[in-house]
Amino acid sequence: MLINLFNTVRSSGVPCTLRELFDLLGALENRLAYANLDDFYHLSRAILVKDEKHYDKFDKAFEIYFKGIETLEDIFQALIPEDWLRKAFEKE
């Protein structure tokens, strides 16, 4: 999931490296942001953006990536295909 966000941020002109992506992954593993999109936004911006002149670019990239997603349920619907859920349900 995060590699696509990382690529979106980079393609928007924010100069971030794999080191920042790994730092973000480490922060998420330590639950610095959990199940809250606003917390994740602030955490990812703090880690991926090193110069405030890139905040607008990051905001646009974040909006593009998470367009239409406002709750945790929306994230699951976007990430987990419905046919996969149906097959898993039928299997059980």
Side-chain angles (χ1 to χ4, degrees), residues 17-34:
T17 64
L18 286 175
R19 176 74 256 162
E20 280 101 14
L21 176 61
F22 292 139
D23 290 343
L24 179 57
L25 290 171
L28 292 173
E29 285 177 357
N30 289 310
R31 304 233 175 172
L32 294 180
Y34 182 74

Side-chain angles (χ1 to χ4, degrees), residues 22-82:
F22 292 139
D23 290 343
L24 179 57
L25 290 171
L28 292 173
E29 285 177 357
N30 289 310
R31 304 233 175 172
L32 294 180
Y34 182 74
N36 185 309
L37 193 56
D38 289 333
D39 291 346
F40 177 70
Y41 163 79
H42 291 292
L43 178 67
S44 59
R45 188 175 81 166
I47 292 174
L48 295 177
V49 181
K50 296 303 179 200
D51 190 336
E52 65 185 30
K53 70 181 179 185
H54 298 293
Y55 280 170
D56 289 338
K57 294 174 188 174
F58 176 83
D59 291 346
K60 289 177 187 175
F62 196 87
E63 182 180 341
I64 289 168
Y65 187 76
F66 286 104
K67 186 176 183 170
I69 296 177
E70 296 179 11
T71 65
L72 187 60
E73 184 176 319
D74 294 337
I75 293 172
F76 287 137
Q77 288 177 354
L79 294 177
I80 303 173
E82 186 177 332

